Amino acid sequence: MDLETFTPGAGRLAPRAALRSDAPALSLNGTWRFRLSPAADAPEDFADPGYDDSGWDDLPVPSHWNLHGHGAPAYTNVAFPIPIDPPRVPNENPTGDYRRAFDLPAGWQGGRLRFEGAESFARVWLNGHELGFSTGSRLPVEYDAGPYLRPGRNVLAVRVHQWSAATYLEDQDMWWLPGIFRDVTLTRSTADVYVRADYRDGRGTLAYLEGPGPLSVPELGVTGLRPGSEITAEVEPWTAETPRLYEAVVAGDGETVRLRIGFRTITIEDGVLLANGRPLLLKGVNRHEFHPEHGRAVPYETMREDVLLMKRHNVNAVRTSHYPPHPRFLDLCDELGLWVIDECDLETHGFGEVGWRGNPTDDPRYADALLDRMRRMVERDKNHPSVIMWSLGNEAGVGRNLAVMADWTRERDPSRPLHYEGDRSCAHTDVYSRMYASHAEVEAIGKREEDPLDDPELDARRRGMPFLQCEYAHAMGNGPGGLAEYQELFERYPRLAGGFIWEWIDHGIAHPEHEYAYGGDFGEPVHDSNFVIDGLVFPDRTPSPGLIDLKKVFEPVRFDFDGGRSVRVVNGYGFRDLSHLRFTATVQVEGETVAEHVLDVPPGGGEVALPATDGGPEGERWLTVRAELAEDQPWAPAGHEVAWGQTRLAPASGTAALQASANAAARDSGTAALRASAAAAPRGLTSGVAGGPQAFTRGEDGLITAGECAFDASGRLVRLFGLQVEGPRLDLWRAPTDNDRYGGLEARWRALGLHRLTHRVDEVSAGDELVVRTRVAPAATDLGMRATYRWTYDGGLRLELDIEPEGEWPDPIPRAGVDMTLPGEAVDRVTWFGPGPGESYPDTGLAARIGRWSATVEELQTPYVHPQENGHRADVRWAVLTGARGGITVSGEPVFGLTARRWSTAELTAATHRPDLVPGDRLHLHLDLAHQGIGTATCGPGPLPAYHLRARPATLRLRFTPA
């Protein structure tokens, strides 16, 4: 068999819709016999029914053979793992031979063999007769099995080659995982059905375009509708917010098929994307199919879990990057409600490495293959109401074959717009799509002020299109930052239809040594390291801080506060009111609840008076309003929190209102206001220790002491209320995030030497206060920081640290703060008052709300698959660190950033996988003034200028007291 053929297949039946049929079907999933050969020229005698495969291994189907001990996975983002020489492929071509014996039920007549997915070239035999071959790994194919079926025992044989001419169409930023990875079925169903269900002004139009017999929709009183006819009726529309479905039945020849119809219309008017005549704002994610143990052979239960997680985090849309998903995933999107961009199984990204020479997208020899993939996707998924756009593919450059795909699709289905990002002229699309455009560029596009195209006609056409970011806010490691600012732009300009975060899940493969493996962990000579670890959920589908933030940014309800008198509740849904929600208002003082009320919010939202919020104990007082599900929904139970907002009612008792940074102030929620808080930050918790200031004295042992605290001769704190400590001292380094690394900041920080600072003590003077003057600087530069520590003691120990840079610092710095260590056994839990419960950085932590929180030291860590800076709690007012030996309280004047770990920053920097981090005998405590922002520079813009941490004079004020 010629693997280097441009022909997409042979012997295949015409593609048809995925339907539920009562026709007899026999699942051929299960245990198959399997043999792996290193090259494509292994003998073909295994297809003979009498072949002895007793020496072969067992392999489950669906699965990938290299996740079951046969070869190894390999990850590349852009680069092909084979030479770029289309349509040629290497002689070293892993080839898997499969055999499955099955018994045909008595009386069975005819049937089709249906393969939902096999990568990348599959050749099929039944009882020794070759049925044909197919490419297009993530698309179904059917063969006529009837003439070759036998009563009783039958033998199905399949040969799958990893590399073929089709490989050049499947370079989709994921693990290379060959095999039969989707379902295999013998079915007697032959039906194909095509319906189009539109909605306008309260009425639905059902066009029954194709089918094998009459169609009925009992709920609408429709019976006997013949193909080629249509009806109009009063219906409830389908939207992602209200996924109303109507069961339809088609009586065919020897079978009855069922499908679920949703009435909805997608249009573009005046450059705005509309659903059912209303503007549609996509709050989406890109979803690869992935499971840490099964790869792309994702169980149905996991698909459902994905959709439920998305819905519970206010995601309303999915782009099926970069291939059609398992058909049951789209069933779930119909049922539970997600807008879907269905993407063709096409990416040729690696050709960009050679200047796009030989790109299949512009090679007429590949035209049939590209059209075949588009056709099979459209025919399979044409009846899904959730599918609102067809995408021609991803990162495949430009070329004549795009027109072939687009022209056929428009003729076959004019009801859905076409999407493709790779051609900025938008010559073949209906929407303007980009990846990773900066905030400034998105705003320019929203205003229709983007850079013009050279062709005036194409430029005018593109300016009349809706715009969406098919990928933005790269969710790799710690981050992404800048979410709120993107969402504010999407909501401000009608042309902007929203976008899709890259991406849903970290593609970490379960590994006995690394816990989760990424590129290079299987010895691949060509790989892209941890660039595949870039999701909003960890491999086990635990939500990352990025997903928690995204839920806040995507909230469909906003709260605008007028002090403590009233709150304006704004309905951000596009297609429903607020009647399904319950609203509560809670008043807390220093994080303790003192009052709670149920609010009467009209279905349309509006201004709502608040009950009295004063009275009770003194302290920093906050009001939180929450919107929860009033009743169970298919995707979440009653009580599930949909949205929340907070405002500060009063500062801490006995302190003046201090104007402070946005992160230290009230967080009036709403995407436009997430970073625009203006209330003042409070002074830290008072010590509660009586007594006036005490002098610092030098002892014969050289220690400088005051009360229960001691410093060595260099002015370094060594004893704190009975605990042996080291530090604190100025720290400017953090374990680089993925965004720091890929965005280039880490390299500049290392070139400057911020990871290897030298500390010089210039003066130590003891009296009523202890003053320690130091200079902190890396070798080989004249840049430095003057750091002056002023200590006072009055039963509690107070630090005032002044820092002043010397020289012109060219770049933002990672952090500014102090680090110190305590005995590891001295602290096992931290309780704090401030934002929480999760981590937060200058441009992240949008979901952190002011309260009193408690966690073990272990729970404070964010377990990123590739270890990096994590676990920082910003704007902490006070924190109590406790263990078996008591503990200490740290309070800010007014606030500080808190991180506590059982490993050093150097150990965190050096770690490459989670198991590399081994708890030591010291607790490493970081108390920070500020951090550099996070951004999304792994792919996209770095932090916005407002979140850059520049070297400038600053003061950190802290107070330590016994817990």
Side-chain angles (χ1 to χ4, degrees), residues 301-588:
E301 295 75 18
T302 304
M303 298 181 211
R304 187 175 185 86
E305 182 182 349
D306 276 346
V307 175
L308 293 176
L309 268 176
M310 291 174 190
K311 294 286 291 185
R312 291 168 184 171
H313 288 86
N314 295 327
V315 171
N316 73 3
V318 172
R319 174 176 172 237
T320 68
S321 53
H322 299 291
Y323 42 83
H326 192 287
R328 296 193 73 182
F329 179 79
L330 296 179
D331 292 339
L332 289 166
C333 294
D334 293 343
E335 171 192 339
L336 297 171
L338 288 171
W339 310 104
V340 176
I341 294 183
D342 202 358
E343 191 147 87
C344 188
D345 189 11
L346 171 64
E347 181 168 335
T348 66
H349 203 170
F351 285 87
E353 302 290 282
V354 295
W356 296 102
R357 293 188 302 275
N359 183 17
T361 308
D362 197 39
D363 185 340
R365 296 175 298 174
Y366 272 106
D368 288 347
L370 270 63
L371 177 58
D372 174 75
R373 290 167 183 246
M374 196 72 191
R375 182 183 177 211
R376 286 157 68 191
M377 174 182 71
V378 170
E379 295 296 350
R380 191 194 74 169
D381 299 338
K382 59 197 172 190
N383 296 312
H384 286 284
S386 59
V387 175
I388 60 168
M389 286 188 209
W390 303 116
S391 178
L392 303 181
N394 181 70
E395 292 176 320
V398 297
R400 69 196 80 180
N401 294 335
L402 293 175
V404 174
M405 300 166 72
D407 291 347
W408 179 88
T409 306
R410 282 199 174 93
E411 182 177 353
R412 180 60 170 156
D413 178 24
S415 72
R416 292 177 174 98
L418 295 187
H419 169 275
Y420 178 66
E421 180 272 339
D423 182 359
R424 292 197 182 180
S425 77
C426 299
H428 308 294
T429 67
D430 302 301
V431 296
Y432 178 23
S433 178
R434 286 286 307 283
M435 294 181 181
Y436 308 108
S438 68
H439 299 82
E441 186 176 3
V442 169
E443 181 165 26
I445 294 170
K447 296 177 177 179
R448 291 188 167 84
E449 296 175 356
E450 67 265 31
D451 292 339
L453 295 169
D454 293 336
D455 185 320
E457 184 175 342
L458 283 176
D459 183 67
R461 180 175 178 273
R462 194 180 72 176
R463 288 180 194 274
M465 292 179 175
F467 173 80
L468 62 87
Q469 286 244 62
C470 66
E471 295 179 22
Y472 77 107
H474 198 253
M476 186 173 177
N478 188 333
L483 290 172
E485 291 80 4
Y486 273 122
Q487 193 65 23
E488 192 277 330
L489 293 170
F490 295 154
E491 295 182 5
R492 190 194 312 172
Y493 297 104
R495 183 190 186 191
L496 305 182
F500 299 83
I501 305 294
W502 185 267
E503 67 167 303
W504 176 242
I505 189 169
D506 286 343
H507 299 207
I509 292 179
H511 191 279
E513 177 185 353
H514 299 312
E515 187 175 9
Y516 293 113
Y518 49 75
D521 286 336
F522 297 99
E524 309 100 297
V526 177
H527 66 84
D528 284 291
S529 188
N530 68 316
F531 213 72
V532 76
I533 306 297
D534 53 4
L536 291 164
V537 297
F538 298 133
D540 64 357
R541 284 176 163 75
T542 299
S544 75
L547 181 59
I548 306 301
D549 274 1
L550 192 69
K551 177 184 178 182
K552 180 65 180 165
V553 172
F554 281 175
E555 282 179 345
V557 183
R558 189 176 74 244
F559 305 96
D560 296 330
F561 293 96
D562 179 15
R565 296 180 295 275
S566 66
V567 59
R568 187 165 65 94
V569 181
V570 180
N571 180 11
Y573 286 105
F575 304 91
R576 71 182 312 175
D577 62 22
L578 304 179
S579 58
H580 65 296
L581 300 176
R582 177 179 63 230
F583 294 84
T584 59
T586 303
V587 179
Q588 291 188 325

